Amino acid sequence: MCGIVGYIGNKDAKEILLHGLDTLEYRGYDSAGIYVMDDSQTGHLFKEKGRIAALRDKVDQSVAAFSGIGHTRWATHGAPSVDNAHPHQSNSGRFSIVHNGVIENFAEVRDAYLQDVELHSDTDTEIIVQLIAWFAESEELDTMDAFKKAIVALKGSYALALVDNENPDVIYAAKNKSPLLLGTGDGFNVICSDAMAMIRETNQFIELMDGEVATLSQEGIQIETLAGDIIDRAPYTAHLDANDLGKGTYPYYMAKEIDEQPAVMRKIIQNYQNEQGELEMDPEILESILASDRIYIVACGTSYNAGWVGKQLLEKTTNIPTEVHLSSEFGYNMPLLTEKPFFIFLSQSGETADSRQVLVQVNEMGYPSLTLTNVPGSTLSREAQFTLLLYAGPEIAVASTKAYTAQIAVMSILAELTAKAKGLPVEMDVAHELAIIASAIESVIDDKEIFEQLSLTHLSTSRNAFYIGRGIDYYLVMEASLKLKEVSYVQTEGFAAGELKHGTIALIEDNTPVISIITDKKTAGHTRGNAHEVISRGAHSMIISMDGLNQPEDAYVLPKVHELLTPLVSVIPTQLIAYYTSLHRGNDVDKPRNLAKSVTVE
Ligand code: F6R
């Protein structure tokens, strides 16, 4: 996790770095810092615990700086504090560094080289900068050689930006596993963890690859391998709109992103339709799936929950057996694979380290893979054989909402096209169904006050809560409970409704909130029965049910949509409930405690 930025050029570096860090705050927000070089080539370090806004207050605006590096942190080694905030410096103050990633062998490196060096933080990052200084000073290496020698000694993940006071016209950068982009412009160059952070400055970016180092000056960028071979790589254009990054009139990104979902559904239909209005995608993806005997969906968190809906869609539509796995388990405890597996990686960010370590293994084994991601050019997209984009637009709130529905929508298109390619009869016209769903989502969002009221009466003071459902609704309640717990901190569990009576019902007390999701006519009666069981034990019950299912009078009724796609609509009340509960509990809705948007550590 963590976000890093760098700038060298002809404008006010402080403001560019602070704005870049504001944009990267989704990657971590427990402390932040910048190191800038003024025009008399004196360095200035500013660090603060907490958000970028706190750092901004601390920065001396009178410093005229034209280059510098910055960092926003999600603590891995060492508690959130000013001492542990980046940039870290060598003891002489000559070198300053920012780091995204985790150095696995930092203790070994410390013991091998730095026993006599006084350390000032609990971080793995300080080891890197002290090691560079140690090589530069004890072995009299020039900065680039010292930097490379330090990198060779490190094991783990890193994106690094380094400033040397003795070479103030250059910023050094390197990466392994963690993402890092170099942006180019007229009279300036930049470094960033993702393109959004610098899109106000440039839309021309060059990817730095693992095992490469770069130097940036005002005039240009030079990339080389550790062996010193020069790399010539052309920039690509990042198609991002700086206006997408604002909250507009919304108080929180989460509210905006929930509201954007009808538009996202329509954008997905458009992007996957050809000029004749037929759904279409790279035929090689479909051929590769058809050549396989089993699909393995691998993902984390909300993407994992979307994966379960994807399994249902793929199995029911294509008859191809499909398994869903947590990346963080799969990589270390791989199940027996079939002879011809096909892997689907679901990742909003495309940067999740747990998923990437599985993809690395899948590539080593030579199996075909497809990444569904919201971020073109992300690591999982680059490293998988195929990519399908989600077209959801930037998702800034830490809690994922529109990426979940976009993942399901794109998987529904994938399922339909695979079934057609297989010659199976397809009874669902996905483009038509998704258009109906866009309107259905709109009508649920129009009822948002109902869910705000429900949050106030059922959840704003509650210690715990339960979501229950069966079949596809069980998959949905897994996501509903994750959303509620992560933004409101109400301990929430999502249960298969039939399982309650096998143990969990013991937790039901007077006024325990239990929300039942009922969209499937086969199981509607049973789940309603389970709701009655908890009501009899004092629970505060709410039923969210699809139209036409003989629901009780006080149930909230969802517009009817295709039975395989109900989570696209039934998730909306649960997102709104999570949002309003968090809001009324006074939490920072977009940046819940302890979390980060892009989880780039395993
Ligand atoms: C929850 C949430 C996380 C992510 C998970 C995977 O709201 O956002 O659970 O879904 O960290 O992230 P991606 O999809 O970027 O791989």
Side-chain angles (χ1 to χ4, degrees):
M1 351 267 261
C2 307
I4 72 174
V5 284
Y7 175 85
I8 185 157
N10 44 19
K11 289 202 240 165
D12 177 10
K14 299 185 307 297
E15 192 41 46
I16 293 171
L17 296 175
L18 288 169
H19 174 77
L21 292 179
D22 270 333
T23 313
L24 291 178
E25 214 178 28
Y26 73 88
R27 300 175 72 93
Y29 36 81
D30 60 46
S31 58
I34 59 173
Y35 181 75
V36 290
M37 193 65 81
D38 70 21
D39 43 9
S40 65
Q41 305 201 325
T42 305
H44 302 262
L45 179 67
F46 304 101
K47 306 208 276 189
E48 189 54 292
K49 192 174 165 202
R51 303 286 165 88
I52 309 300
L55 172 66
R56 192 178 277 280
D57 288 344
K58 200 157 182 192
V59 169
D60 177 355
Q61 289 302 334
S62 67
V63 173
F66 301 99
S67 78
I69 54 179
H71 186 273
T72 181
R73 178 167 187 252
W74 187 84
T76 53
H77 292 83
S81 68
V82 173
D83 284 345
N84 289 333
H86 303 212
H88 287 283
Q89 295 192 301
S90 57
N91 284 347
S92 65
R94 174 179 162 188
F95 294 100
S96 303
I97 205 163
V98 289
H99 167 218
N100 161 213
V102 175
I103 304 304
E104 286 156 17
N105 64 339
F106 78 96
E108 290 90 320
V109 170
R110 182 194 56 208
D111 296 348
Y113 297 98
L114 304 173
Q115 286 206 346
D116 300 328
V117 174
E118 193 188 344
L119 299 173
H120 306 278
S121 75
D122 305 320
T123 65
D124 50 343
T125 305
E126 190 190 348
I127 300 295
I128 311 174
V129 73
Q130 301 285 17
L131 185 64
I132 294 167
W134 194 86
F135 284 133
E137 285 152 19
S138 317
E139 298 192 5
E140 296 183 1
L141 298 180
D142 70 20
T143 310
M144 183 51 115
D145 287 343
F147 189 33
K148 284 183 178 173
K149 197 157 180 189
I151 287 168
V152 171
L154 302 176
K155 288 205 181 76
S157 56
Y158 50 81
L160 299 169
L162 172 77
V163 172
D164 172 8
N165 287 352
E166 293 186 8
N167 294 292
D169 299 329
V170 179
I171 300 178
Y172 301 82
K175 86 168 270 292
N176 186 45
K177 297 191 194 166
S178 301
L180 194 65
L181 294 175
L182 311 175
T184 68
D186 193 8
F188 69 91
N189 288 293
V190 301
I191 297 173
C192 48
S193 297
D194 84 31
M196 278 195 306
M198 287 291 169
I199 199 72
R200 284 207 319 198
E201 305 307 317
T202 181
N203 63 1
Q204 298 299 302
F205 290 94
I206 303 173
E207 272 171 45
L208 195 65
M209 301 297 181
D210 288 356
E212 295 174 350
V213 287
T215 46
L216 288 85
S217 64
Q218 191 172 338
E219 291 77 34
I221 295 178
Q222 176 159 309
I223 303 178
E224 59 186 80
T225 63
L226 291 176
D229 299 324
I230 303 297
I231 309 269
D232 187 16
R233 184 170 303 131
Y236 70 90
T237 304
H239 296 285
L240 287 173
D241 182 346
N243 296 325
D244 285 351
L245 304 181
K247 283 200 288 272
T249 54
Y250 287 88
Y252 286 100
Y253 281 106
M254 187 176 176
K256 173 173 177 262
E257 289 161 7
I258 290 172
D259 276 12
E260 281 171 352
Q261 292 175 100
V264 171
M265 292 298 111
R266 295 180 181 120
K267 208 162 156 202
I268 289 172
I269 304 170
Q270 267 171 15
N271 276 289
Y272 283 99
Q273 262 174 344
N274 61 21
E275 280 172 6
Q276 289 73 47
E278 292 154 355
L279 289 175
E280 189 179 74
M281 65 177 55
D282 178 357
E284 279 188 41
I285 298 178
L286 306 176
E287 281 159 27
S288 188
I289 296 180
L290 290 181
S292 74
D293 58 5
R294 186 171 292 246
I295 297 171
Y296 293 81
I297 298 179
V298 182
C300 308
T302 287
S303 297
Y304 170 77
N305 295 337
W308 281 98
V309 182
K311 167 188 162 70
Q312 185 101 333
L313 278 160
L314 285 160
E315 285 192 336
K316 296 240 154 95
T317 317
T318 70
N319 289 335
I320 302 174
T322 303
E323 294 180 16
V324 189
H325 292 272
L326 287 168
S327 319
S328 53
E329 289 294 314
F330 193 92
Y332 304 99
N333 188 13
M334 205 174 277
L336 279 179
L337 300 176
T338 53
E339 248 175 65
K340 295 184 216 150
F342 182 89
F343 284 85
I344 298 182
F345 290 86
L346 296 182
S347 177
Q348 188 284 131
S349 63
E351 299 295 347
T352 301
D354 286 321
S355 299
R356 190 197 175 221
Q357 52 92 12
V358 180
L359 177 54
V360 168
Q361 295 182 56
V362 165
N363 284 342
E364 279 165 9
M365 292 185 292
Y367 293 132
S369 56
L370 161 69
T371 292
L372 263 68
T373 181
N374 203 23
V375 184
S378 54
T379 306
L380 284 163
S381 162
R382 287 198 315 272
E383 296 183 357
Q385 194 176 348
F386 306 108
T387 296
L388 291 176
L389 292 177
L390 300 180
Y391 299 109
E395 192 182 63
I396 313 285
V398 164
S400 184
T401 51
K402 60 180 179 171
Y404 174 82
T405 43
Q407 283 169 338
I408 294 172
V410 174
M411 281 190 289
S412 71
I413 295 173
L414 178 66
E416 174 180 314
L417 292 178
T418 307
K420 280 192 173 146
K422 199 174 172 183
L424 296 175
V426 180
E427 50 94 24
M428 172 164 71
D429 173 352
V430 167
H432 177 68
E433 297 299 339
L434 291 179
I436 294 174
I437 280 164
S439 307
I441 296 175
E442 262 157 9
S443 80
V444 179
I445 290 173
D446 284 347
D447 285 340
K448 56 173 73 153
E449 285 78 17
I450 296 179
F451 303 107
E452 176 162 24
Q453 200 49 42
L454 174 88
S455 303
L456 284 166
T457 53
H458 284 49
L459 290 156
S460 58
T461 55
S462 182
R463 198 167 47 91
N464 57 2
F466 294 89
Y467 273 103
I468 60 170
R470 288 170 182 253
I472 202 160
D473 299 329
Y474 171 46
Y475 301 150
L476 185 273
V477 301
M478 288 161 55
E479 170 57 12
S481 69
L482 175 61
K483 206 63 20 185
L484 183 56
K485 73 183 118 187
E486 73 176 315
V487 294
S488 73
Y489 320 145
V490 175
Q491 184 166 4
T492 316
E493 301 304 334
F495 274 101
E499 275 296 295
L500 271 188
K501 58 186 177 296
H502 297 290
T504 313
I505 201 163
L507 296 173
I508 304 295
E509 297 171 343
D510 274 353
N511 292 327
T512 305
V514 179
I515 304 173
S516 310
I517 306 288
I518 306 178
T519 69
D520 181 354
K521 65 174 179 302
K522 292 190 295 301
T523 57
H526 283 311
T527 309
R528 270 199 302 274
N530 299 132
H532 280 297
E533 287 156 15
V534 296
I535 290 168
S536 314
R537 287 156 180 82
H540 210 156
S541 159
M542 162 93 189
I543 293 183
I544 297 174
S545 176
M546 192 136 284
D547 198 12
L549 292 184
N550 191 21
Q551 61 281 349
E553 252 173 34
D554 55 355
Y556 177 79
V557 181
L558 298 164
K560 191 162 172 48
V561 298
H562 193 284
E563 60 179 12
L564 287 178
L565 296 172
T566 58
L568 290 174
V569 179
S570 52
V571 76
I572 307 297
T574 72
Q575 294 172 344
L576 290 165
I577 289 168
Y579 171 73
Y580 284 117
T581 307
S582 174
L583 191 71
H584 290 301
R585 285 182 162 237
N587 300 346
D588 183 340
V589 178
D590 285 338
K591 296 193 177 79
R593 67 186 180 205
N594 303 337
L595 293 174
K597 180 83 183 150
S598 182
V599 185
T600 53
V601 292
E602 282 173 36

